[in-house]
Amino acid sequence: MSIKFNVNGFPYEVQAADYAPDTTLNAFLREHLHLTATKYMCLEGGCGSCICVIRRRHPVTQEVQSRAANSCLTLLNTCDDVDIMTDEGLGNQQSGYHPIQKRLAQMNGTQCGYCSPGFVMNMYGLLEQHRGQVSMSQVEDAFGGNLCRCTGYRPILDAMKSFAVDSNIEVPPECVDIEDSFELLCPRTGQSCKGSCSRPPLRDQSGSHWYWPKSLAELFSALGQVGNGDLYILVAGNTAHGVYRRPRDIRHFIDVNLVPELRQYSIEADHLLLGGNVTLTDAMQVFLLAAKMPGFEYCAQLWQHFNLIANVPVRNNGTLAGNICIKKRHPEFPSDVFITFEALDVHVQVFDNPSNHKIMSLQSYLSDNTPKLVLGAFVLKAYPEDRYLFRSYKILARAQNVHAYVNAGFLIEWDDIQRKMVRSARICFGNIRPDYVHAENVEQLVPGKALYDPATIAQIFQQLPTSLQPEERPPEASPEYRQILACSLLYKFLLATAPRERVRERYRSGGLLLERPLSSGSQSFETIKKNYPVTQPVQKLEGLIQCSGEAMYMNDLLTTSNAVHCAFVTAKRVGATIEQIDASAALQCKGVVAFYSAKDIPGVNNFVTLGQLTPESEEVFAAGRVKYYDQPLGVIAALTHDAAVHAATLVVVTYLKDEQRVYTSMSQVLTERQADRIVCFKKERVEPLKLPPLAPGDVEGRGVLEMGSQYHFTMEPQTTIMVPMDDILQVYSSTQWMDGTQGAIAQVLGVSVNSIQLQVRRVGGAYGVKETRCNMVACAAALVAAKLRRPVRFVQTIESMMETIGKRWACRSDYEFRARANGSVILLTNNYYQDAGCSLNENVVDFLTLPALKNVYNLNDLNLRAKGNAILTDAPSSTWCRAPGTAEAHRHCNDGNSNGEYCFHLPTRSRRCSFG
């Protein structure tokens, strides 16, 4: 069977059997239609570079809805009968540019430009969704899922907020006369869908099945085709794949987007019913409607909480049932839908056949193992304000687009009209541990008691910590922090809701949530008109083609159909010697072409060119003892990217039993005083300063300050394309240092430098990680191209980049100081240590950090004694990262000012209770 849809107004019909069942819309747009404005990056719905706009007819209302969507998560086979708009279709050099593209370019919102198409399409989707009627607050809130790592967000948000109905953004004169029109275009047929064109199931060559039911009966008919033990998935927005990668052995894909029974909602006097397949965005719209009705005022709080879930494109496509099903499969998932709904005692309507349903609690559903059970709807009760009190909380690492450190929901039922005595309570916390939801000891304690009585509160916080025992689960925050945070949320709830006379005025603000105001900023620069064109501000020459997606990056370049894709095979036992590598299982996978390791390298196994910046060799592939976890030890070449990534996990490595002690952090090295791992480059002796006795008012102190490493997070992945031509190798690499990459490839292949022809058109973010670390990919791809004599494309996944590539030099500073009463520094002694990883390449200790130490205070040779040390650890070699060295130096001297004054922070007394 075929899938029919429009892309940028052009109709397409594809045979679904011709594509892998989990082919994404992103892969189809880029690899088959060559529409590369829709970028490839995280594959998690978190960066926004892949956003396009999808128009789809609602199966219940028949209204055409326009929504921004992450194409990296949207499966191709769910796109039947939709209209898709990409940045190329929005505007280009031939047809003219769209106002959003123009304004972003004219207001200087681009730098590398890799993220710009995603910003443009997210804004376009927002304007279409709201028919052009958006506020500045809505605009600013809509970009939590779009990352920019270059420009800074001020000019980007200024450009986007200038389209708001309440905009006060000053727009350049050349933008003022642009007529902005954001009418919804007609769907492909231009006619109302009759809803009767049912489609038969489809089986592709891999043995997977796709189904497109258009009713609950057809859905269960599809489920009836699923054999016992077969894995299946009900596909709606597919946003769960951004959190947990789905299993590869799923055999049945059932698209539930057109099942009307799952998309309905109703608001009755005593309950609100939301279909399981209602998206989070649509649910939020229903909450706004329901909040105006008696008993459902709490829905306004639900809207606020749901607005903190993920980001707009994810909420546009992710569904309520999908979110709860993640929680069912992964109990550790800190679902905000679950924690708020559980606090509200929401029940679910589930179907085991089309004509039979039952109502059960959320927790009962999570523990129910009935096969092929369909979550049909959620039932939310009415809670009159005079009898109930509801609040929910979510504490995040940043303002948007991240899961909670701890989330919570509290529902209190009052026993009296004065709202003093408690009849019942539901106290729920998330992200404590998988088996913990309710603070049962508190729920059993408070009924029959006055909630805000100091004695009750004292009892609550005596008992609550005993039940709150978070598990250790890196990289989550520590159990101690999460326990204190959970207690603090309940305390905040009590402060916020207590009668005014019960809370001392000075503590009342502790119950408020911090409101982030609308951001604003300005930029000024000197311009001298008489010297024009010198000092004349002009639009960036590449701005428009960046905003329209016409600017080409390395991963946008086309390769021929015989190209192979690559993925690293990595070592898992640090400090051990590799004895044998068995790639036989990987080589048996469909589409896998070859595996190469260190023994296949014809030249030198070293991906850096030796010099002042990189004095030590670094292996392309580990050949002996493994230096760090996930060090590459070989490369898989396959016909598709997904096949290469999967096959890389099947390679079996045998290690000798000769592991050495592993040191993964500076603290381990310093604690155990491993002198051979502490490298000091400046050998001269530093004489201590002779200081006079402390004068009245002088202060002195000492301490330790630590700063961790930092991942570069370039929007464009590490990318290399190789094309063998005659006796040369044509190389397209996302490198900052062309000479270094060219030389590294030549030495690995054992050929002359002039046989390596390297081109770089533009780089989508670099920040230091594409200076030498890009050579890991480039050299591996060059080896594959040289061996196979066919084109090679190597694009690292975000997981692979985080695993194999070093980050910013982490830093620790052991300091002592003495300062005058007026704040001037008499002495600062700073012994600092920086984590080099497994090599001393790209060293910043004395070259960059030491000179920058004097930049913050009024420091000189008379009042500063500083000594730097590099610490060798069993981690990937650290590398330059955005202001290398100077960022570490300034971070460790950031409490002063340009006058050499020192700021001291005095601790405040802790207080046991704020209730009087």
Side-chain angles (χ1 to χ4, degrees), residues 811-882:
C811 196
R812 164 182 166 151
S813 179
D814 296 352
Y815 65 89
E816 295 184 44
F817 69 89
R818 180 180 290 190
R820 297 291 187 198
N822 64 4
S824 62
V825 176
I826 305 170
L827 167 68
L828 176 61
T829 300
N830 190 347
N831 291 324
Y832 63 93
Y833 307 87
Q834 295 193 252
D835 190 344
C838 63
S839 86
L840 295 173
N841 286 339
E842 299 187 52
N843 189 5
V844 299
V845 175
D846 294 319
F847 173 41
L848 295 169
T849 304
L850 185 59
L853 282 172
K854 300 178 181 180
N855 281 10
V856 179
Y857 304 125
N858 185 14
L859 298 173
N860 52 52
D861 292 339
L862 298 178
N863 62 356
L864 173 65
R865 291 291 183 269
K867 178 183 177 183
N869 303 271
I871 306 294
L872 290 168
T873 58
D874 299 307
S877 182
S878 299
T879 184
W880 287 13
C881 179
R882 251 188 170 153

Side-chain angles (χ1 to χ4, degrees), residues 373-433:
L373 201 61
V374 173
L375 202 171
F378 296 83
V379 183
L380 287 72
K381 304 174 185 177
Y383 290 111
E385 281 189 304
D386 60 341
R387 290 176 47 212
Y388 293 91
L389 173 66
F390 172 70
R391 292 289 189 279
S392 65
Y393 299 90
K394 180 179 184 179
I395 304 301
L396 309 87
R398 54 184 180 270
Q400 295 176 301
N401 201 32
V402 65
H403 74 246
Y405 283 139
V406 171
N407 50 13
F410 310 128
L411 179 68
I412 301 296
E413 180 185 9
W414 301 111
D415 198 34
D416 57 347
I417 196 66
Q418 292 80 22
R419 296 163 61 97
K420 291 182 179 179
M421 306 301 293
V422 177
R423 174 174 292 182
S424 67
R426 296 177 70 86
I427 309 296
C428 301
F429 295 99
N431 209 25
I432 302 299
R433 59 179 189 269

Side-chain angles (χ1 to χ4, degrees), residues 447-554:
K449 290 185 169 59
L451 182 62
Y452 303 111
D453 184 80
T456 303
I457 293 171
Q459 287 182 287
I460 288 173
F461 289 102
Q462 286 172 358
Q463 296 193 22
L464 181 59
T466 61
S467 68
L468 285 169
Q469 298 296 322
E471 67 175 3
E472 183 82 44
R473 194 169 70 245
E476 297 292 338
S478 69
E480 296 78 12
Y481 173 78
R482 282 156 43 222
Q483 182 192 57
I484 294 171
L485 183 56
C487 291
S488 299
L489 290 181
L490 183 55
Y491 191 64
K492 178 180 281 289
F493 165 71
L494 296 172
L495 281 175
T497 59
R500 196 165 195 86
E501 67 275 9
R502 281 288 190 178
V503 182
R504 301 174 190 176
E505 188 62 33
R506 62 187 299 187
Y507 302 132
R508 185 164 292 279
S509 63
L512 304 178
L513 292 173
L514 296 178
E515 294 284 340
R516 188 178 69 168
L518 196 66
S519 67
S520 62
S522 62
Q523 179 182 12
S524 61
F525 46 84
E526 183 180 10
T527 177
I528 306 171
K529 290 189 176 181
K530 67 178 183 179
N531 293 341
Y532 282 3
V534 178
T535 78
Q536 182 178 9
V538 297
Q539 180 179 316
K540 182 179 177 181
L541 297 180
E542 287 192 342
L544 277 172
I545 63 170
Q546 289 177 337
C547 293
S548 65
E550 295 167 292
M552 300 290 288
Y553 299 82
M554 294 300 103

Side-chain angles (χ1 to χ4, degrees), residues 44-47 141 143-147 242-243 305-312 314-315 323 333-337 393-407 431 475-477 516 713:
E44 296 177 353
C47 73
D141 192 53
F143 286 91
N146 289 80
L147 298 183
V243 185
H305 198 120
F306 274 45
N307 197 45
L308 297 176
I309 299 175
N311 56 65
V312 168
V314 169
R315 294 198 297 269
N323 187 284
F333 176 57
S335 165
D336 291 289
V337 176
Y393 299 90
K394 180 179 184 179
I395 304 301
L396 309 87
R398 54 184 180 270
Q400 295 176 301
N401 201 32
V402 65
H403 74 246
Y405 283 139
V406 171
N407 50 13
N431 209 25
E476 297 292 338
R516 188 178 69 168
F713 209 121

Side-chain angles (χ1 to χ4, degrees), residues 24-46:
T24 64
L25 176 59
N26 182 268
F28 180 78
L29 291 174
R30 292 180 57 83
E31 298 172 14
H32 300 279
L33 301 189
H34 303 150
L35 297 174
T36 55
T38 306
K39 301 302 182 190
Y40 167 102
M41 203 280 156
C42 72
L43 307 185
E44 296 177 353

